[in-house]
Amino acid sequence: MINTKNSNYIRIFDTTLRDGEQAPGFSMTTLEKVQLAKQLEKLGVDVIEAGFPAASPDDFKAVELIAQSLKTTEVCGLARAMESDIQTTWNAIKDAKKPRIHTFIGTSPLHMEFKLKKTKAQILEMTKNAVEFAKSLCERVDFSPEDAGRSEKEFLVEVIEVAITAGADCINIPDTVGYTQPEEFGALIKYLLKNVKNANDAIFSTHCHNDLGLASANSLAGILAGARQIECTMNGAGERAGNAALEEVVMNLSVRPDFFNFSHNIKTKEIFATSKLLTLLTGQKVQANKAIVGKNAFAHESGIHQHGMLANRETYEIMTSESVGVKSTKMILGKHSGRAALASHFERLGYEFTKEEITKIFIKFKILADKKKDITDQDLHILALGENNEKRLHWHLESYSVSSGSNRLAEANVTIKNTETGETKTAIKTGDGMVDAGYQCIDEFFGKIGELSHFGIDAVTTGINDQAIVNLRIETKNGRVQSAKSGDTDIVKASLEAYLDAVQELSFWK
Ligand code: KIV
Ligand code: ZN
């Protein structure tokens, strides 16, 4: 990685696993987070903000595992400007090849008065202490004056000077509420670079939210004004309307070198695979007309457009779908593929399975390949996630049958088996549809743990034999939210497996 202060290299700081993951509906299990982190590393991001370790033991574990798993990418943890958060963050990231601490404190009048109840002098003191402490633990330290977009400029200069003197090597400027306009945001970066006395000792970064749909435009304005790091997320995931979308910022730089003339390390051909993986893990689809990664981003429907495209692709396309890796969803394995081919594709996707595990998954792969001709990367992710769930959760769907009709209640007969003890449980229940009847059976086994707050079905690609991905969320009375997913060519089976996994996870907390 090139360090960038005075160069034209743009450092990509991905916060999908922190700002993205903290948005409703985007939560992932620890192993899913590790999987996404490996894909982000393959994509070529410079820094991965892996989470907020002080937020919960689960967050801590995920950040720690990501720090231990990545080979080249910097791994960053977020911490409030307080010693206990910073120490916890350091404990989580210390095994990373290149650890980084990102500490922040609110600097706008609203944040200081109402959230923090602190004076300017106290904020300056906390900034100094936090950055100095972070620097005593970790070579790389980012500092963010939260809500910079609505902070007084003169005070921002003071805070930033203190942070740089205390050892911050990167100053991230968040437009926390997505309020600023591109010209305004660019002018803010310019003002800071000009007025902060020690600005040359740090890289300036942007962190723009998308409340007014301007996050990517603001980030690009930041680059033009002198910022050399962009904090962004895949698919624009993040709090409320999200963050600057990595794919948008990067493709602007790539498609318009005549305008921007900046370099970056993103392997753009990995963009689509990364976007798809995030969708698969969270169940959160991107809108069809989303720039770069939406289903329609490269579709040409009208006759006039199709005619133009046939004559010359550039009449209606400014980049090729190949350049962002859309073609990588093609079939990669079929029913004649062997165990070694399967193992090597898992390795390519970043999964580490033992020979015994591959033998187990291979049986499922063969069953799937018999039902579905083309096996894609998405199918392999689903098989792998199923195997990882089996390792963690002991109750599995042993058998089921369901029936339904127009003038009667649906009925389900479900048997589950504990793979550790060999114990089985069976229930027969009626319900409002076959899936509901099946869920009543599972509730009979574990007790009613919570309410289903989201249930979505999607197909991996298209076609009647495709795998259905069921993605659901259960919320308990005390506010715990558990999501789960499962894929199968049979929708009912995928629905039962996802529900069984979520209920088991929640039953650990009961
Ligand atoms: O939006 C924001 O201000 C943040 C900070 C923690 C950087 O996410
Ligand atoms: Zn944010």
Side-chain angles (χ1 to χ4, degrees):
M1 194 193 71
I2 306 160
N3 197 326
T4 122
K5 236 175 290 163
N6 299 313
S7 82
N8 278 2
Y9 181 79
I10 303 299
R11 197 160 79 176
I12 299 295
F13 178 114
D14 182 277
T15 182
T16 310
L17 286 162
R18 200 279 297 169
D19 211 312
E21 212 262 345
Q22 75 193 45
F26 278 83
S27 60
M28 289 170 251
T29 66
T30 299
L31 287 177
E32 289 169 349
K33 288 180 190 174
V34 173
Q35 196 50 40
L36 186 64
K38 286 183 178 174
Q39 177 58 34
L40 289 167
E41 181 167 62
K42 202 162 156 195
L43 176 66
V45 307
D46 301 278
V47 189
I48 290 178
E49 187 163 61
F52 191 170
S56 74
D58 279 357
D59 279 51
F60 181 94
K61 213 171 94 205
V63 175
E64 188 180 40
L65 210 56
I66 290 169
Q68 291 163 350
S69 305
L70 296 189
K71 297 194 171 75
T72 51
T73 314
E74 275 188 32
V75 178
C76 179
L78 182 71
R80 286 168 295 182
M82 51 173 75
E83 217 172 285
S84 57
D85 263 34
I86 294 168
Q87 183 66 57
T88 306
T89 299
W90 173 244
N91 295 346
I93 58 165
K94 65 181 186 323
D95 293 338
K97 297 267 171 349
K98 290 183 222 153
R100 176 175 284 280
I101 295 175
H102 176 189
T103 186
F104 71 99
I105 192 161
T107 51
S108 66
L110 274 166
H111 277 236
M112 290 191 292
E113 189 182 337
F114 295 100
K115 193 178 87 172
L116 300 167
K117 301 191 184 354
K118 301 276 182 223
T119 61
K120 285 181 177 173
Q122 286 171 313
I123 296 291
L124 290 169
E125 177 74 8
M126 287 173 79
T127 300
K128 177 176 180 293
N129 293 342
V131 176
E132 274 178 357
F133 184 58
K135 193 72 179 180
S136 74
L137 302 170
C138 185
E139 196 187 323
R140 301 169 189 83
V141 177
D142 266 41
F143 170 76
S144 290
E146 193 187 8
D147 205 13
R150 294 187 298 173
S151 300
E152 289 168 14
K153 281 187 191 158
E154 297 73 16
F155 182 56
L156 265 186
V157 168
E158 272 188 78
V159 177
I160 293 169
E161 281 174 357
V162 165
I164 296 176
T165 304
D169 62 86
C170 179
I171 299 296
N172 178 51
I173 304 300
D175 180 18
T176 302
V177 288
Y179 178 72
T180 59
Q181 300 296 308
E183 270 194 18
E184 219 178 351
F185 192 73
L188 175 61
I189 299 286
K190 225 176 225 157
Y191 174 87
L192 294 174
L193 285 169
K194 187 165 164 225
N195 290 285
V196 168
K197 284 193 204 81
N198 44 8
N200 274 339
D201 296 336
I203 291 171
F204 278 65
S205 163
T206 70
H207 176 107
C208 298
H209 276 271
N210 203 33
D211 299 65
L212 292 171
L214 293 171
S216 297
N218 282 347
S219 306
L220 292 163
I223 291 177
L224 291 173
R228 289 295 177 267
Q229 173 177 286
I230 301 296
E231 290 203 9
C232 51
T233 59
M234 204 59 225
N235 296 350
E239 286 278 10
R240 305 179 311 280
N243 288 64
L246 180 151
E247 64 276 14
E248 292 174 9
V249 174
V250 165
M251 288 316 286
N252 270 280
L253 299 181
S254 291
V255 171
R256 296 297 309 275
D258 56 319
F259 187 80
F260 286 108
N261 192 24
F262 293 103
S263 65
H264 57 77
N265 188 46
I266 298 299
K267 320 284 178 285
T268 61
K269 288 191 173 171
E270 289 294 330
I271 283 181
F272 198 66
T274 315
S275 163
K276 283 286 242 188
L277 182 60
L278 178 63
T279 299
L280 177 76
L281 296 177
T282 59
Q284 300 290 340
K285 285 189 248 176
V286 295
Q287 78 211 43
N289 61 327
K290 165 83 181 62
I292 323 289
V293 294
K295 193 159 93 356
N296 294 353
F298 296 96
H300 299 275
E301 197 63 33
S302 85
I304 295 174
H305 284 213
Q306 286 180 356
H307 177 75
M309 284 290 290
L310 287 173
N312 182 341
R313 188 190 60 75
E314 288 180 17
T315 48
Y316 286 107
E317 237 177 47
I318 56 166
M319 60 193 140
T320 62
S321 58
E322 288 83 1
S323 67
V324 295
V326 170
K327 287 279 153 56
S328 67
T329 52
K330 67 182 184 298
M331 91 63 128
I332 45 136
L333 288 166
K335 71 182 202 177
H336 299 298
S337 306
R339 206 169 309 204
L342 181 67
S344 91
H345 278 287
F346 276 133
E347 212 178 295
R348 175 178 59 81
L349 293 174
Y351 293 100
E352 288 160 18
F353 289 124
T354 62
K355 262 193 178 153
E356 292 71 39
E357 285 165 347
I358 288 288
T359 304
K360 244 172 87 194
I361 307 176
F362 189 64
I363 297 168
K364 292 183 187 149
F365 164 76
K366 281 287 177 191
I367 295 170
L368 179 64
D370 267 340
K371 294 187 204 161
K372 180 177 190 274
K373 225 171 70 231
D374 301 342
I375 306 290
T376 65
D377 277 354
Q378 299 293 303
D379 292 309
L380 295 188
H381 281 304
I382 294 160
L383 283 172
L385 294 170
E387 173 61 24
N388 283 335
N389 276 350
E390 275 190 30
K391 277 192 259 177
R392 216 176 53 255
L393 306 168
H394 297 310
W395 287 100
H396 299 289
L397 190 64
E398 174 73 355
S399 64
Y400 71 95
S401 64
V402 287
S403 62
S404 184
S406 47
N407 292 320
R408 65 186 181 88
L409 280 173
E411 189 178 280
N413 180 336
V414 176
T415 299
I416 59 171
K417 184 173 181 179
N418 188 311
T419 44
E420 279 222 310
T421 62
E423 186 190 350
T424 60
K425 292 181 182 184
T426 298
I428 301 174
K429 289 277 173 188
T430 53
D432 188 14
M434 294 186 289
V435 171
D436 182 53
Y439 285 7
Q440 305 278 348
C441 295
I442 294 170
D443 286 345
E444 171 94 354
F445 305 140
F446 293 91
K448 179 97 177 140
I449 282 180
E451 292 299 329
L452 199 61
S453 59
H454 169 77
F455 179 89
I457 301 181
D458 204 2
V460 170
T461 48
T462 46
I464 196 74
N465 291 328
D466 203 358
Q467 285 211 85
I469 314 294
V470 170
N471 208 305
L472 55 80
R473 263 195 309 281
I474 300 180
E475 282 188 41
T476 64
K477 272 206 190 92
N478 54 13
R480 196 164 177 94
V481 179
Q482 182 65 51
S483 57
K485 68 194 68 60
S486 181
D488 199 275
T489 50
D490 180 337
I491 289 174
V492 176
K493 184 167 175 232
S495 306
L496 293 177
E497 284 178 341
Y499 192 71
L500 181 59
D501 285 356
V503 164
Q504 279 188 84
E505 297 272 13
L506 285 171
S507 68
F508 293 142
W509 295 91
K510 238 174 55 174

